[in-house]
Amino acid sequence: MPTVSVKRDLLFQALGRTFTDEEFDELCFEFGLELDEITSEKDIISREQGDQKASEASDVVLYKIDVPANRYDLLCLEGLVRGLQVFKDKMEAPRYSRVNPLNGDPQRLIITGETASVRPHAVAAVLRNITFTPERYDSFIELQEKLHQNICRRRTLVAIGTHDLDTISGPFTYTAKAPDDIRFKPLNQNQEYSATQLMGFYKTDSHLRHYLHIIEDEPLYPVIYDSNGIVLSMPPIINGDHSKISVNTKNVFIECTATDLTKAKIVLDMIVTMFSEHCDQPFTTETLSADYINSKVGINETAESIAQLLTRMCLKSEVTSDGAEIQVEIPPTRSDVIHACDIMEDAAMAYGFNNITRTTPRTYTVANQFPLNKLTELLRLDLATAGFTEALTFALCSQEDIADKLQKNLKDTKAVHISNPKTAEFQVARTTLLPGLLKTLAANRKMPLPLKLFEISDVVLRDESTDVGARNSRRLCAVYYNKTPGFEVIHGLLDRVMQLLEVKPGRNHGYYIQAAEDSTYFPGRCAEIFSHGKSIGRLGVLHPDVINSFELTMPCSALDIDIEPFL
Amino acid sequence: MADTGILESLLRLVDKVDGGIDSQVVASSLGVDHQVVVGAVKSVQALGEVIEAEQRSSKHWELTGEGQEIAEQGSHEARVFKAIPEEGLSQSQLMVESIEDVVRKKLQQVQMGHSSQLEEKEKNELKKRKLLTEVTVKSYWITKGSNFSTIITKQETELTPEMIASGSWKEKKFKPYNFDAMGVAPDSGHLHPLMKVRTQFRQIFLEMGFTEMPTNNFIESSFWNFDSLFQPQQHPARDQHDTFFLSDPAVAHDFPQDYLERVKKVHSEGGYGSQGYKYDWKIEEAQKNILRTHTTAVSARMLYKLAQQEEFTPVKYFSIDRVFRNETLDATHLAEFHQIEGVVADYGLTLGDLMGVLHQFFTKLGITKLRFKPAYNPYTEPSMEVFSYHKGLNKWVEVGNSGVFRPEMLLPMGLPEGVSVIAWGLSLERPTMIKYGINNIRELVGHKVNLQMVYDSPVCRLDS
């Protein structure tokens, strides 16, 4: 969720009144925003860099406001104020229209075929006769940054360039060239570089280096020229210095290059609608019935009052002449409206979620438990009654946990592997519950002995027969840790579990254990467990090397079975 | 226990005097060592309120070994005098005709208990000569207790089978228990607190008529986890930074082909009254295997299955199971947590119904004061964050998320047009941490938890 930080006094000035913090918090809540923090530049710097650095900083009060991720129109002061004012009936929803320049033709941006391989789309617009104040200029820059970070997906989908139109001349050309053939003076630098040099130069730039990978390995880099061959920008990395804008800029040329055309249009619309009254996109309209809104929200309002509710949400609405339907104008600022249900939500918000009568659906159903979970719940209770304590361990772990430490070969584990773990703790999904229990023992070595633990939970195994190629398996695992190995204790627990599952000892239709070789266990102290002729798991005394590798010091016996055969 | 004779003699002495008696006096009048009396006092005290004994200390003088020798045999000088034979000594040595052995007399006085007759100076001089020593004696001032009696009845510690058989318990007195001491902890196993809370949430859903979904599939395809929920392929949640992708098995197969085509179309071109997201939808993105980021992936599978029935029947589903996020870990975030989810599908459900069901659900958790904030979620519209008023923290805290599933998600599945699906979700860990007052999630979940916390955790009643 993006956070917008605005100066409180500036915000109140634009809203035409002041609020207490509580009043403003309440207003935000109704409108679906969250007043996240009340702070100042001084506070922020002092928190991050210490009081000393903060002494010079401004202590103007800042509101940090959380904005829903799809409301790009609320990412700057201008948009926030417009949204809130219309919501509170303080102003009418604005309408936008496109105008041509007084003298001459509209500007043109020519896109050449070379761009297809790297960044195929571009859209552009001009803001004419704009008057920046320092605050409006900051807000303009900040809006671009917010858009870059959110909808533009850190410039991968869309990159924005803004230029002083009076320093360049159209028509403009968007093309792609080999890195060594592009030379220009980049923003805020004193000399020219080739694109290849620039990529090296920005490797150490704390801000720009995050965007280099987007085009770095491409044979051709995107670039925009004006009619005199001046480089406007090399998207998505950097603009040229020649056309840079300032507080005094009067006419702004905005270009958005993109890999996603829909998003590029949204971004361009956002910028121009926030900062001008000129826009080249007509309104779209949607017609829906009052009945639709009433039945989905669970209210009973007239078409007129619903039209009023929607108008308050910047969706200018009117009841059609026959009175049956409501015609809703969707401004270009509201790219989030793609279905009638999005309009319904706005009606519900304007009505106030908390004013809607809470009703009980008449849906009649009979509850059922998932059989595997039902069995798990029953067994957990009886294992605790048998004197074992329940552990709750992670489903993700390191490769070492399920292989080396248990003296197993990773290839034999049937483990699923994670491709992007941030640390070794998340390399694989566990294939057995045993490492988690042993780690729990290790963290509790100071507790009085014996320690008796169990867990009933899922492990994950590769399985070609499922659509995703893996499946969960519900396991019961228990460990006994004491000065003596206590095989008889863990064996007794197996007998108890079998008794609970109504399986009698016996070769054919019951259960039995049989000596087995398993490198996790001490030689001659491991047995395989069979129920109804099928192997369901193992029990035994752990191998001293396994005990050591989990940083344990005492003998330990373990039971590990699959409970799904008992469903 | 000291022998009963001494105890009873002690009690008879106490009985005779008014206002109490010193244990040293008792010792001298009974002619026994003081320590024996001290033992007797302690034994009687153990019998209850028979006597009261207040500790005191006093000082007195005692002869040293050398002092005793002198008291018996005379001082060294006197002994020399005596040792002179009657006939054989020179004149000069017989200047003294007789002696008075003052040292012996003084020591004898002390020995008889009359040390107060000597002056301090004299006593100190004898102390310097190591003939006298000053000792401190701890004694008891003994008075009658509220249960005073001169007869000793031996107290039994425990009731025995023999006493029950013979009826002798009727005559016996029993040693009182110390009710201030803790009992012995029972030898038992314990359930994990988070799992206890899970059991309660299951119970609540079952009471409300919700059927449990099969969520035992941690590995999910991006298709069911995201695409089927109308979550666009460039959505940040589908980033490497937020989701665990698999390298092996890396991709999923066997999607329902017709359905997949409808999903592709609604994303890239729209339909069902929607403009769609208008981007180039790729099967390669949908095939990527991940660790599911929410149990809503299972809800999507269940709703698709429901849509394939001959005739639609209303359903209420729930699940509580693990989900995974490739997040930066901190005191409240782990890479895996439990998601609680409830889903209702029926004709004509409204936003009011969703809020009504949430009200009933949270009432069962003991939370009655709820309010709803508009929110954004790619697969629900409207979307609402649920806040409850927390009396302890004195503020509104977020307790869950909810919404109505979008038509772009439901209609491609094949659910009938008029069917609405309402849903909500919350984490299991957060209410548990609030319930048990735990601030760091690692103290609740994972192998680093302190087992003592598990042993000591109380039963879970969410509504009290």
Side-chain angles (χ1 to χ4, degrees):
Chain A
M1 194 180 281
T3 305
V4 185
S5 105
V6 292
K7 290 181 181 158
R8 184 191 62 185
D9 295 346
L10 225 53
L11 178 69
F12 288 172
Q13 192 188 332
L15 289 172
R17 59 161 285 198
T18 58
F19 295 81
T20 64
D21 292 341
E22 288 73 28
E23 282 170 344
F24 192 72
D25 183 48
E26 193 63 33
L27 174 63
C28 283
F29 196 94
E30 274 179 70
F31 194 56
L33 306 172
E34 201 169 325
L35 180 55
D36 188 48
E37 200 186 348
I38 301 163
T39 180
S40 71
E41 239 171 74
K42 199 172 197 162
D43 276 351
I44 296 170
I45 296 176
S46 111
R47 197 177 338 134
E48 288 169 0
Q49 304 170 28
D51 289 341
Q52 236 171 358
K53 294 241 168 113
S55 59
E56 300 283 297
S58 146
D59 49 13
V60 170
V61 179
L62 293 180
Y63 273 180
K64 288 199 156 184
I65 300 170
D66 277 349
V67 175
N70 63 339
R71 290 298 298 270
Y72 311 112
D73 57 321
L74 303 177
L75 282 176
C76 61
L77 177 73
E78 288 75 6
L80 265 178
V81 168
R82 195 173 299 166
L84 288 170
Q85 290 295 71
V86 177
F87 181 63
K88 297 306 282 181
D89 277 332
K90 292 278 160 53
M91 69 180 266
E92 280 202 16
R95 306 192 56 152
Y96 304 94
S97 61
R98 189 193 71 173
V99 290
N100 284 333
L102 287 176
N103 38 16
D105 295 324
Q107 292 288 355
R108 284 189 303 142
L109 176 67
I110 300 154
I111 304 173
T112 72
E114 289 84 359
T115 59
S117 69
V118 49
R119 205 170 176 82
H121 308 292
V123 290
V126 176
L127 284 169
R128 285 180 197 278
N129 291 322
I130 193 162
T131 308
F132 282 127
T133 61
E135 285 81 15
R136 291 183 79 184
Y137 182 77
D138 287 347
S139 180
F140 186 66
I141 301 297
E142 172 132 358
L143 173 66
Q144 290 176 53
E145 186 52 28
K146 293 277 182 220
L147 291 168
H148 271 148
Q149 291 309 318
N150 292 285
I151 182 174
C152 303
R153 308 287 304 124
R154 288 185 285 278
R155 303 194 190 180
T156 53
L157 299 182
V158 187
I160 309 160
T162 53
H163 310 275
D164 187 337
L165 184 62
D166 299 328
T167 64
I168 43 180
S169 61
F172 304 99
T173 307
Y174 174 46
T175 185
K177 283 187 165 183
D180 286 327
D181 298 340
I182 303 172
R183 276 194 81 79
F184 66 103
K185 188 162 92 178
L187 191 62
N188 299 330
Q189 296 299 327
N190 298 320
Q191 63 174 97
E192 282 198 357
Y193 295 87
S194 76
T196 315
Q197 288 169 328
L198 268 183
M199 295 301 269
F201 183 69
Y202 287 131
K203 272 273 184 297
T204 53
D205 187 293
S206 65
H207 181 58
L208 293 179
R209 66 188 161 98
H210 301 295
Y211 309 118
L212 302 181
H213 72 95
I214 303 172
I215 58 166
E216 201 167 22
D217 299 328
E218 298 290 337
L220 302 178
Y221 286 2
V223 60
I224 300 176
Y225 292 101
D226 85 342
S227 60
N228 299 320
I230 289 166
V231 172
L232 273 65
S233 66
M234 184 175 86
I237 311 296
I238 189 80
N239 287 349
D241 193 63
H242 182 91
S243 59
K244 75 175 171 197
I245 64 166
S246 70
V247 168
N248 302 318
T249 299
K250 284 285 156 201
N251 299 300
V252 185
F253 178 71
I254 305 162
E255 38 89 1
C256 296
T257 57
T259 53
D260 181 320
L261 183 59
T262 313
K263 292 257 190 305
K265 286 180 181 168
I266 293 172
V267 169
L268 189 66
D269 283 348
M270 280 310 145
I271 300 176
V272 293
T273 51
M274 286 303 114
F275 284 88
S276 82
E277 297 178 13
H278 314 305
C279 175
D280 67 351
Q281 178 158 343
F283 282 76
T284 49
T285 59
E286 179 112 17
T287 309
L288 41 75
S289 67
D291 191 44
Y292 169 78
I293 295 202
N294 281 327
S295 69
K296 291 286 176 189
V297 179
I299 51 177
N300 195 9
E301 294 291 304
T302 61
E304 285 77 15
S305 93
I306 288 173
Q308 271 171 21
L309 291 174
L310 290 173
T311 305
R312 272 175 56 207
M313 300 300 290
C314 288
L315 299 174
K316 203 168 164 52
S317 305
E318 275 173 4
V319 181
T320 50
S321 50
D322 59 3
E325 305 247 279
I326 304 163
Q327 187 141 28
V328 188
E329 285 181 1
I330 321 286
T333 46
R334 292 299 307 274
S335 60
D336 60 301
V337 177
I338 57 173
H339 189 278
C341 70
D342 297 302
I343 299 170
M344 176 261 288
E345 178 183 60
D346 278 43
M349 276 167 66
Y351 185 85
F353 282 177
N354 297 300
N355 299 324
I356 298 168
T357 310
R358 297 174 189 180
T359 48
T360 305
R362 280 165 304 182
T363 310
Y364 176 81
T365 52
V366 173
N368 285 306
Q369 301 186 49
F370 179 48
L372 183 59
N373 290 359
K374 184 176 179 177
L375 177 65
T376 302
E377 286 285 296
L378 293 170
L379 281 179
R380 284 176 54 239
L381 205 57
D382 267 317
L383 283 177
T385 334
F388 281 70
T389 291
E390 186 174 33
L392 177 65
T393 66
F394 297 125
L396 305 184
C397 60
S398 66
Q399 295 175 352
E400 203 189 10
D401 284 340
I402 56 163
D404 294 1
K405 284 182 167 185
L406 294 178
Q407 311 208 79
K408 289 277 161 72
N409 192 334
L410 185 62
K411 284 194 186 115
D412 303 332
T413 58
K414 291 179 34 184
V416 303
H417 292 257
I418 294 166
S419 65
N420 58 332
K422 281 180 187 154
T423 67
E425 290 168 271
F426 311 120
Q427 289 172 324
V428 289
R430 64 183 172 197
T431 53
T432 156
L433 302 177
L434 189 56
L437 290 185
L438 295 180
K439 287 196 273 187
T440 309
L441 288 178
N444 284 280
R445 278 181 311 195
K446 285 184 185 151
M447 294 295 289
L449 295 174
L451 286 172
K452 297 192 272 186
L453 299 181
F454 81 93
E455 183 169 12
I456 306 181
S457 189
D458 285 350
V459 303
V460 182
L461 303 171
R462 272 200 322 253
D463 181 350
E464 295 302 321
S465 68
T466 70
D467 60 344
V468 295
R471 67 177 167 87
N472 283 22
S473 167
R474 183 77 38 103
R475 296 290 173 82
L476 181 164
C477 188
V479 291
Y480 177 81
Y481 183 68
N482 201 0
K483 288 177 182 149
T484 55
F487 181 82
E488 69 288 355
V489 177
I490 218 78
H491 190 190
L493 184 69
L494 170 70
D495 294 335
R496 175 65 185 145
V497 169
M498 288 299 152
Q499 193 175 45
L500 291 167
L501 293 169
E502 294 185 276
V503 185
K504 292 193 164 53
R507 285 263 153 187
N508 295 325
H509 299 292
Y511 76 98
Y512 64 94
I513 65 172
Q514 177 179 303
E517 283 303 311
D518 188 319
S519 49
T520 301
Y521 295 87
F522 198 45
R525 295 279 185 276
C526 172
E528 188 157 15
I529 306 158
F530 292 87
S531 171
H532 296 93
K534 275 191 192 157
S535 169
I536 57 159
R538 299 210 163 153
L539 82 169
V541 178
L542 294 182
H543 196 285
D545 289 341
V546 172
I547 291 173
N548 276 329
S549 61
F550 283 94
E551 292 166 4
L552 294 170
T553 52
M554 301 277 168
C556 182
S557 52
L559 165 70
D560 189 356
I561 60 170
D562 183 352
I563 63 163
E564 290 183 32
F566 302 103
L567 279 177
Chain B
M1 179 175 286
D3 90 84
T4 321
I6 292 280
L7 301 191
E8 293 191 343
S9 311
L10 165 71
L11 291 172
R12 277 195 298 275
L13 274 178
V14 175
D15 194 28
K16 274 183 227 155
V17 296
D18 288 327
I21 186 167
D22 190 280
S23 55
Q24 278 181 288
V25 178
V26 175
S28 60
S29 51
L30 293 180
V32 296
D33 191 79
H34 183 239
Q35 279 312 311
V36 175
V37 178
V38 170
V41 167
K42 289 198 171 144
S43 300
V44 177
Q45 273 183 310
L47 302 177
E49 309 287 313
V50 180
I51 55 164
E52 277 172 30
E54 187 190 332
Q55 204 173 38
R56 293 179 169 187
S57 63
S58 62
K59 285 181 178 175
H60 72 118
W61 292 92
E62 239 172 44
L63 272 55
T64 62
E66 196 184 347
Q68 266 173 5
E69 199 185 308
I70 290 172
E72 278 167 30
Q73 300 171 23
S75 64
H76 305 302
E77 295 85 349
R79 275 187 270 169
V80 170
F81 175 75
K82 274 186 193 158
I84 297 169
E86 291 190 13
E87 58 288 341
L89 275 178
S90 69
Q91 183 87 30
S92 61
Q93 291 170 302
L94 285 171
M95 277 167 64
V96 180
E97 284 175 4
S98 64
I99 58 161
E100 194 190 354
D101 194 347
V102 183
V103 173
R104 185 182 184 184
K105 271 192 189 156
K106 285 180 186 165
L107 290 176
Q108 280 172 339
Q109 272 180 314
V110 173
Q111 202 173 29
M112 287 158 71
H114 305 307
S115 63
S116 55
Q117 292 172 2
L118 270 64
E119 283 176 36
E120 282 303 305
K121 204 176 140 194
E122 292 172 319
K123 283 187 275 199
N124 283 332
E125 196 162 307
L126 290 170
K127 191 180 170 187
K128 269 187 204 157
R129 287 176 63 180
K130 299 211 171 125
L131 302 175
L132 268 190
T133 169
E134 193 173 24
V135 287
T136 307
V137 175
K138 294 225 161 102
S139 64
Y140 287 96
W141 185 253
I142 308 162
T143 53
K144 290 179 191 173
S146 58
N147 252 338
F148 185 77
S149 151
T150 54
I151 301 154
I152 294 293
T153 333
K154 195 183 165 205
Q155 286 185 313
E156 299 292 338
T157 45
E158 292 297 359
L159 194 60
T160 63
E162 290 76 22
M163 291 176 199
I164 295 169
S166 65
S168 65
W169 59 269
K170 290 175 198 155
E171 278 80 45
K172 307 247 181 219
K173 278 208 168 178
F174 289 86
K175 208 172 169 180
Y177 277 166
N178 176 8
F179 292 113
D180 294 332
M182 296 295 280
V184 176
D187 187 13
S188 71
H190 308 266
L191 294 174
H192 192 282
L194 190 76
M195 296 294 98
K196 290 196 223 185
V197 181
R198 184 179 74 175
T199 303
Q200 289 310 304
F201 273 102
R202 271 186 103 236
Q203 182 68 29
I204 287 169
F205 276 113
L206 293 171
E207 284 167 8
M208 291 175 71
F210 282 66
T211 286
E212 192 169 32
M213 292 188 273
T215 46
N216 55 335
N217 59 325
F218 294 167
I219 309 301
E220 191 52 277
S221 60
S222 295
F223 178 77
W224 287 107
N225 194 85
F226 297 122
D227 294 287
S228 70
L229 298 173
F230 197 52
Q231 196 150 347
Q233 294 189 329
Q234 320 86 343
H235 193 274
R238 304 181 68 154
D239 235 48
Q240 297 273 327
H241 299 286
D242 293 281
T243 300
F244 286 116
F245 288 85
L246 293 197
S247 55
D248 181 25
V251 292
H253 304 277
D254 302 333
F255 301 107
Q257 203 52 41
D258 293 357
Y259 174 50
L260 181 130
E261 289 302 328
R262 293 194 293 270
V263 169
K264 176 181 179 173
K265 192 165 177 222
V266 77
H267 278 247
S268 52
E269 297 167 34
Y272 312 100
S274 174
Q275 297 174 24
Y277 294 123
K278 295 180 193 152
Y279 70 98
D280 189 10
W281 188 90
K282 294 192 178 77
I283 177 73
E284 292 79 11
E285 273 304 317
Q287 277 187 308
K288 287 182 182 169
N289 271 336
I290 58 166
L291 277 154
R292 68 169 173 227
T293 62
H294 48 197
T295 50
T296 318
V298 176
S299 308
R301 283 180 184 264
M302 293 299 284
L303 289 170
Y304 172 73
K305 205 170 143 199
L306 176 67
Q308 308 318 302
Q309 281 181 190
E310 287 275 308
E311 199 180 337
F312 173 82
T313 47
V315 294
K316 294 196 286 207
Y317 289 139
F318 83 95
S319 65
I320 310 169
D321 212 337
R322 294 185 198 233
V323 296
F324 305 85
R325 306 272 167 94
N326 196 4
E327 276 187 296
T328 309
L329 312 185
D330 61 31
T332 53
H333 292 88
L334 288 175
E336 53 188 277
F337 63 95
H338 290 76
Q339 184 188 340
I340 302 170
E341 180 162 343
V343 177
V344 185
D346 201 354
Y347 281 101
L349 294 175
T350 66
L351 196 57
D353 286 337
L354 172 58
M355 298 199 298
V357 172
L358 283 167
H359 178 73
Q360 291 176 332
F361 177 78
F362 281 98
T363 301
K364 280 181 172 284
L365 302 180
I367 296 170
T368 48
K369 216 169 157 188
L370 285 187
R371 67 174 186 171
F372 299 91
K373 184 189 138 196
Y376 166 65
N377 184 341
Y379 48 89
T380 53
E381 190 81 8
S383 309
M384 303 188 295
E385 280 170 10
V386 189
F387 283 72
S388 87
Y389 194 77
H390 192 281
K391 286 188 195 120
L393 301 172
N394 218 6
K395 65 174 185 182
W396 291 91
V397 293
E398 193 193 330
V399 290
N401 257 300
S402 67
V404 183
F405 283 138
R406 292 188 71 99
E408 293 98 324
M409 166 183 163
L410 302 178
L411 296 174
M413 288 177 171
L415 285 169
E417 187 100 26
V419 168
S420 289
V421 182
I422 58 179
W424 74 98
L426 58 153
S427 92
L428 177 62
E429 281 78 356
R430 195 172 150 82
T432 307
M433 286 168 78
I434 294 174
K435 172 99 196 148
Y436 289 106
I438 295 170
N439 292 323
N440 187 337
I441 197 163
R442 286 183 187 79
E443 288 168 21
L444 177 69
V445 187
H447 56 266
K448 286 184 181 148
V449 299
N450 182 351
L451 286 175
Q452 195 64 48
M453 180 277 292
V454 178
Y455 294 169
D456 295 345
S457 77
V459 294
C460 172
R461 281 171 297 177
L462 290 170
D463 54 353
S464 67

